Structure formats: C-alpha cells, structure tokens
Amino acid sequence: MPTGPLCHPVAVLGSYRAALGAPGAAAFSAAGLVLRLPLAMYPVALVLLVSLRTGSYGFGGVLTAAYILGGAAGSPLLSRVADRAGQRAVILPAGLAHVAALAVLLATVSADAVPPAVQVAAAGLAGLTFPPAGALVRARWAALFGSSPHQLGTGLAVESTFDEITFVVGPVLATLLATTVDPAAPLVAAAALVLGGGTALHLLRGTSPPADRVFRVGGRRLPGPPTTAIVLLMVAVGVTLVAIDLAAVAFVGQSGEPAWTGAVLACFAFGSGVAGFAYGARRWRWAVDARLRVVAVVFAVLPLLLLGAVGVRVLAVLMFVVGIGTAPLLITAFGLLERFAPPERLTEGLAWLATGLNLGAGAAAPLVGLVADARGARVAFAIPMVAAVVACLLALLTVRLVRPHLRPALAQP
C-alpha cells in the first residue's frame, strides 16, 4: 500500500521533480522521448504511404507486420550489444542503418519495377535496426537509481507516461503529415526524429550504464523460466492493448462517427498516463512482486466495462477508465525485471519485454480485424477481455517463478 504523504498532489509533483532533477535524468529522458516517437508513427505511416498512393490497405499492413517482426527480432540483439559494449556502440550505428533502410523503402515503394519483396525486406530491416529506445532509457534510470526502489519506480513511471504521450501524438502527427504534405512525409519526419533523438542520447555519455561490468561479473544469463513467463505476460498485454484499440476503432466506424476515432483512442492513452503518473509517485510498502498480482487483477477486470459501450461517447468514457489499468501493470513489470535480471543483462531483459509487447500486438491486429468485419465490434471486444484474463494468470505465474531470483536487498518492502 502507499504511504500517506505522497497522496498529496504537491508531494506527487515533488517526487517527479526529484527524479528528473537527478544529474542527466531530464536530458536522457527527453532524448528518449524524441527517439521513440517514431514507434507510434510507423504503423499508421506505412499504411498511409501505400494506401494514399495505390488505394491498397493490404500491402500497407504487410509492411507494418514486417516492421513489427523485424523490431521484435532486433531489439533484444541490439540491447545485448549495448550491455556488452555500451550504449554508444549501438545508438548511432543502429540509427544510421535504420534511416538507410527507410530510404530504400521510400525509393522503392512507388517503383513499379521493384518486386514487393524488396519493400517488405526494407521494412523488416527498418524494424530490425531501430534503436531499442525504451530499454536504453530505462536502463539509464536503473543505473541512476538502482539503490532506491522508490525513485527508480518514479523514473519508470516517467517513461510509461512518455510512452502514452507518443501513442497519442504519433498517429495524429503521421496522419497530418501524410494527408497535408505528402504520403512519404511521416517517414522522413521519423528519420529526422531518430537521428536527432539518437544523437542526443549518444552524446549523454555520463548517464550511460558502464559497459565493462559484464567482463568483471561474468556472463550470467537471464533466469530462464522467470524471463519466459514475464515475456509471455507482455505478449498477452500486447494482445490486450492492441485489441482494445482496434476494436474501439471498429466500433466508432461502425457507429458512423469516424471523426471520434482519435478522441476515443486518446481517452484510453490519457487514462493510462494519469494512472501511471499517480502510481509512480507513490512510495509503496508492498514489494514489487506483491504489487504485480494486484495490478494484474485490476488489468483483467477493467476491460469488462467495455460491455457497457452503448454509444461512441460512452465508449470514450469507458476507454479512459479501462486505460487506468495499463501503465501500473507495465511499470510494475519493468520494475520486477530490474530486480531479478543480472545487472549486466538489464538492457537485454528490458528489450525482451518490449519484444513481447510487439509480438502480441502483431498477432492481435489481424485477428481483431477479421472478427470485427465478420461479427461486429461488440464481439471483437471479447478478444481483449479474454487476453486480459490470460495476462493476469501469467502475472501470477511470473510472481511464483521470480521470487527465488529476486535480489534479497531489493525484494523487501
């Protein structure tokens, strides 16, 4: 449970002020926000790039899937290199390779003589080489506040709030650029953001975790069963989140009010962001493994409220409430991983969680679309309800498997 004083709004703001006031924290967090904004732009940008030029949505979906799968494979690999050789060995080289892949994609997507497989390969390579921004920044928070669970939790909450901001701003920015400037404009802007944010993070060497500790400590592995369980938990969470979004999009469209689509999705992200902001500021007496069980139950129950959606405006309110369960679960899962992963493999472990989210998102997207088309959006809402329950069960399993591996000094409330 939280202690009383940090329930006060002034104390909440003070907690964030203290975390961001630590040397270098505000700078690397801001750089990470810029670097990962394209993550929320690409799914919309790739579909619009194709559909606005050819009228086909299907191939845009193929490019998006290739990008997501490339990212799922590349993120752990790049993060492992960052742990072994330092973040500076990854950020700019990967960023430059990513921009080169985007250039190939843009050069070939409208060329009739180029086989579609080349474009799919370019999209996959763009995902494979995208710098694992979330893992890199969260690893810096862990290096900064590893001995202070409360301040680390606040730092992780900052990143979860920024994640929600990107998923509110990114799709809107991509749509605006594609429809008012040029279909290729979102990818050009994304390339600029990757180079700008990546360069800024690369230059902040003072907050980068030390790279030589892996050789001093030895090559310890991530604990197998606990890591597998928490990654599977993230897969279920990814299915839940994307299914909620896409089912809501279908509901709004089938209700004949497509202009409300952005507002409805923003309500979900806003609810998650508000909950994450409040959750991260509190000083918890419960250990992180105990908290995971509670937030997982909340995450499982809230999607049931979507059954009460009788109109678009009601859905918008319900999406805000359902979103409240998201950020606390993600913050707690990231915090739990930090407490059982070997320090020299932390960035890799964080990247595996992001990979789980991406895999879940990629698996859910076509399924929700098929169900919404065949049976309607109301039936499609059953998918996130089931997935959230599965996520809760996996969270309970994760807690049982993780407890023997928690570092004693940090496992106590």
Side-chain angles (χ1 to χ4, degrees):
M1 64 181 66
T3 57
L6 281 179
C7 296
H8 193 279
V10 174
V12 169
L13 293 176
S15 182
Y16 281 96
R17 189 181 301 113
L20 290 170
F28 73 67
S29 189
L33 173 61
V34 173
L35 178 57
R36 67 178 179 268
L37 181 58
L39 284 173
M41 297 173 62
Y42 284 135
V44 175
L46 291 171
V47 171
L48 292 177
L49 176 67
V50 176
S51 64
L52 291 177
R53 288 181 169 175
T54 68
S56 170
Y57 287 92
F59 189 61
V62 171
L63 292 181
T64 300
Y67 169 78
I68 290 174
L69 292 176
S75 184
L77 294 176
L78 292 173
S79 297
R80 181 177 297 181
V81 174
D83 281 332
R84 293 183 65 89
Q87 294 191 2
R88 289 169 60 84
V90 169
I91 298 171
L92 278 187
L96 291 171
H98 175 78
V99 171
L102 289 181
V104 172
L105 178 60
L106 287 173
T108 59
V109 74
S110 59
D112 295 334
V114 177
V118 174
Q119 299 158 25
V120 173
L125 183 60
L128 185 72
T129 54
F130 189 92
L136 295 173
V137 174
R138 286 177 169 92
R140 293 189 184 221
W141 281 111
L144 187 63
F145 290 136
S147 60
S148 174
H150 168 64
Q151 288 183 300
L152 175 59
T154 303
L156 295 177
V158 169
E159 299 311 313
S160 291
T161 301
F162 281 173
D163 283 340
E164 302 305 333
I165 290 173
T166 64
F167 283 99
V168 172
V169 175
V172 174
L173 178 60
T175 303
L176 182 65
L177 290 173
T179 56
T180 63
V181 181
D182 186 86
L187 294 186
V188 175
L193 290 169
V194 169
L195 288 178
T199 299
L201 196 61
H202 177 85
L203 293 175
L204 295 169
R205 65 176 66 194
T207 56
S208 183
D212 62 342
R213 63 185 174 191
V214 64
F215 303 110
R216 295 199 310 266
V217 177
R220 288 182 292 172
R221 296 180 177 275
L222 290 165
T227 303
T228 300
I230 200 169
V231 171
L232 290 175
L233 165 61
M234 290 295 102
V235 171
V237 171
V239 171
T240 304
L241 299 183
V242 169
I244 288 174
D245 274 354
L246 295 184
V249 170
F251 184 94
V252 174
Q254 292 171 3
S255 299
E257 299 187 72
W260 273 77
T261 301
V264 169
L265 297 182
C267 285
F268 182 76
F270 186 57
S272 179
V274 169
F277 186 84
Y279 180 87
R282 294 180 178 233
R283 190 179 301 275
W284 295 92
R285 292 176 181 164
W286 293 345
V288 66
D289 53 323
R291 274 185 278 136
L292 182 62
R293 292 183 299 180
V294 176
V295 297
V297 171
V298 174
F299 183 80
V301 170
L302 287 179
L304 297 174
L305 296 175
L306 296 172
L307 293 172
V310 295
V312 172
R313 289 154 188 79
V314 174
L315 176 63
V317 175
L318 294 177
M319 288 284 280
F320 174 86
V321 178
V322 174
I324 289 173
T326 301
L329 177 62
L330 294 176
I331 293 167
T332 308
F334 283 125
L336 183 66
L337 181 92
E338 189 275 333
R339 301 199 186 177
F340 77 81
E344 68 273 13
R345 304 297 289 272
L346 178 59
T347 310
E348 179 188 348
L350 292 168
W352 275 114
L353 298 196
T355 293
L357 287 171
N358 285 334
L359 289 175
L367 176 62
V368 176
L370 289 173
V371 173
D373 285 341
R375 303 295 300 274
R378 284 191 172 277
V379 176
F381 278 133
I383 296 174
M385 294 175 192
V386 173
V389 172
V390 173
C392 180
L393 295 176
L394 287 170
L396 299 179
L397 174 63
T398 298
V399 168
R400 292 190 61 182
L401 294 174
V402 160
R403 276 180 171 166
H405 299 273
L406 289 174
R407 291 190 290 276
L410 293 176
Q412 301 302 320

